[in-house]
Amino acid sequence: MSDTYYEFGTAADRWDRAQMFFEAKEYMTAARILEGLVEEVPEQVSPRLLLARTYYHSARLGKAEAELRAVLELDPVEHYARLMLGRTLERQGRAAEAAGHLRMAAAFSGDFDSGPGRTSTGGPAGM
């Protein structure tokens, strides 16, 4: 892979750039930047969570699942990671496995009425 300008700069510069590319739906570029950040600061949750979202949106569900599980190892009560993991598993046809994560996400966010097929954050079901 060739280096390009957006892979250089401070971690804060790269984080801002990755968010910009994510918002522009340039998921592959955002992922490339975020992969470097995650390698540099593997203990930080935010870059991993955004990387998981880029993988989810670009249909790289196995990679999204792996990043979400890494986030949950770092922060087991990160409700958005639980929600995303549930949605990722559903998208892979693993509804039974997804159900537990979706219930936990709803409980962590205080949305006890949320169930499969509903979002616990009030946001769009597509993440």
Side-chain angles (χ1 to χ4, degrees), residues 9-127:
T10 67
D13 291 339
R14 288 178 283 140
W15 170 248
D16 289 342
R17 229 173 271 129
Q19 289 179 303
M20 179 190 70
F21 280 110
F22 180 85
E23 289 169 12
K25 299 182 180 180
E26 293 287 338
Y27 302 121
M28 299 297 276
T29 303
R32 206 160 79 194
I33 297 166
L34 289 163
E35 287 165 352
L37 280 173
V38 165
E39 187 176 308
E40 190 175 315
V41 285
E43 71 283 356
Q44 289 194 4
V45 169
S46 294
R48 282 190 181 277
L49 194 53
L50 188 56
L51 180 56
R53 291 177 68 198
T54 66
Y55 288 151
Y56 179 88
H57 285 293
S58 58
R60 294 185 285 172
L61 301 177
K63 287 185 170 208
E65 179 183 349
E67 284 303 322
L68 291 165
R69 290 189 188 279
V71 166
L72 291 170
E73 287 221 1
L74 294 168
D75 186 357
V77 295
E78 169 50 65
H79 80 277
Y80 190 69
R82 288 273 174 207
L83 174 65
M84 277 194 66
L85 181 57
R87 296 288 184 239
T88 300
L89 293 169
E90 281 182 331
R91 214 169 146 191
Q92 294 178 71
R94 296 159 59 190
E97 191 178 345
H101 293 288
L102 295 173
R103 279 193 302 273
M104 280 192 275
F108 290 150
S109 70
D111 185 6
F112 299 105
D113 294 329
S114 183
R118 301 163 120 185
T119 63
S120 65
T121 60
M127 299 292 144

